[in-house]
Amino acid sequence: LCKDIRDPRVSSVAMAHADAAASARHGYGAAWDITFSFASSLAAKAAILLSVPDILAKAGPQAALSPQEIAATLPSEFPNLDFLSRLLRFLASKGILRLSRSVGDEGQIQCRYSLTEAATFFVVDGNPSNLAQYMLFQVTEPFQTPWHLFHRCVLEGGEAFEKAHGKDVWTYMKENEQLKDLCNAGMASSSAVIMPKIFQFYNGFNHIHSLADVGGGIGGALRQIAAAFPHIQGINFDLPHVIATAPDIPGVVHVGGNMFESVPSAEGIFMKRIMHDWNDESCRKILRNCHKALPPQGRLIIVDMVLDETNPSSPLEQRKLTLDMVMIALTDEGKERSEREWRHLLSSAGFDKVHIYGNGFMYSVIEAFQATQ
């Protein structure tokens, strides 16, 4: 009988080569995915501009449409069916749409598309909690250009948006009505998604009768709060040119001003996604003004991200760290902060009693009370 007399060293070398080849293939694939990661958001943008999610939603909750049926509803006499079919196929491959296949009478493959749970957030009509407008302003050209200048920010410091456009994002939006309107609409619809989640795990609004939303935009968040807690008298506070476009909201008054100078007095002061726009020094100025405006028993309610420094690779933390990159692109030293950083920042502005709620959600509530309590 012949025995296997292969040199075990040769076998080990072959296995090592095979492992190295597999690792290289995996690395190449990962690098490829990173290289073309922009494709998903820009393809989704195209679908939103074509109203594809709305077309599918109007067909009914169980409906699945063919590219031909979708094309028939587009505002074009001769839409490019090949381009549309390939766009839909790509969106399905990324889990943005759902693809179902069947075989026709003549043996041809028929494709039909329907909404996934993710795609329902891009349905605009009759859906105030959609993220379509929020998506569109994030991927609009003025907001994308600063990303190409990150390397200069590392080498030179400074603000990516200002390097790209010659002015900061706030001045740019003030001078560009269309972009400002898109941003306001996006932030308002984002609030419609975020605030109901906040109400599920935070009950502090039950204990106050007046609330000032500092940096409240056109009042999207305060509209949600006033509807859920009608006993609260709301004050929506933002720059005068922002307040000028705010709609009437029951139980809410709009006040123009500058949070770096002063903020309205109320039993509670609310700030949603404001602090992350600014560096620590600027945040302290805002927080000290809040401290002055609050009564002794008043509470500061901040809705913002809290980074988990122990698990940066989890899907939730990856989303938060993506927003940290957005801060580099759009703000002057704005950033997302960890619990340690939040507590230090608040303490330095006179708030030493801090509670954090909702760490399992993308946005947490950071509740703080004055040090005099």
Side-chain angles (χ1 to χ4, degrees), residues 137 140 142-143 146 159-163 165-176 179-180 183 239 241 277-278 326-332:
F137 92 75
T140 195
F143 278 19
E159 184 180 345
F161 196 94
E162 190 164 349
K163 290 179 188 294
H165 301 293
K167 58 193 73 174
D168 64 43
V169 66
W170 317 112
T171 303
Y172 189 93
M173 284 201 293
K174 183 179 179 180
E175 297 173 355
N176 291 265
L179 184 63
K180 182 183 73 175
C183 178
L239 294 169
H241 76 271
D277 289 334
W278 306 97
V326 174
M327 294 303 100
I328 295 177
L330 302 183
T331 71
D332 180 13

Side-chain angles (χ1 to χ4, degrees), residues 86-98:
R86 290 156 63 188
L87 174 64
L88 296 171
R89 181 179 63 185
F90 175 78
L91 292 170
S93 77
K94 294 296 182 180
I96 300 170
L97 295 179
R98 182 176 292 109

Side-chain angles (χ1 to χ4, degrees), residues 287-362:
L287 290 170
R288 285 169 180 156
N289 286 335
C290 293
H291 193 285
K292 293 175 186 176
L294 282 168
Q297 303 300 317
R299 66 186 68 205
L300 177 66
I301 305 167
I302 297 171
V303 173
D304 234 315
M305 293 185 179
V306 178
L307 298 178
D308 181 356
E309 295 179 296
T310 67
N311 191 20
S313 61
S314 73
L316 178 60
E317 290 307 305
Q318 288 181 43
R319 296 185 189 108
K320 294 179 183 180
L321 294 175
T322 297
L323 262 292
D324 192 50
M325 294 296 97
V326 174
M327 294 303 100
I328 295 177
L330 302 183
T331 71
D332 180 13
E333 299 183 7
K335 62 178 182 178
E336 306 301 341
R337 294 175 170 88
S338 66
E339 179 175 343
R340 173 181 53 82
E341 290 171 313
W342 276 115
R343 291 185 180 279
H344 176 75
L345 177 62
L346 287 162
S347 177
S348 69
F351 295 93
D352 68 345
K353 185 178 178 183
V354 178
H355 305 288
I356 297 178
Y357 304 92
N359 278 340
F361 181 49
M362 194 163 178

Side-chain angles (χ1 to χ4, degrees), residues 48-69:
I48 291 169
L49 294 175
L50 290 168
S51 297
V52 169
D54 280 271
I55 292 168
L56 294 172
K58 288 174 183 176
Q62 305 300 322
L65 301 183
S66 68
Q68 292 84 352
E69 290 169 324

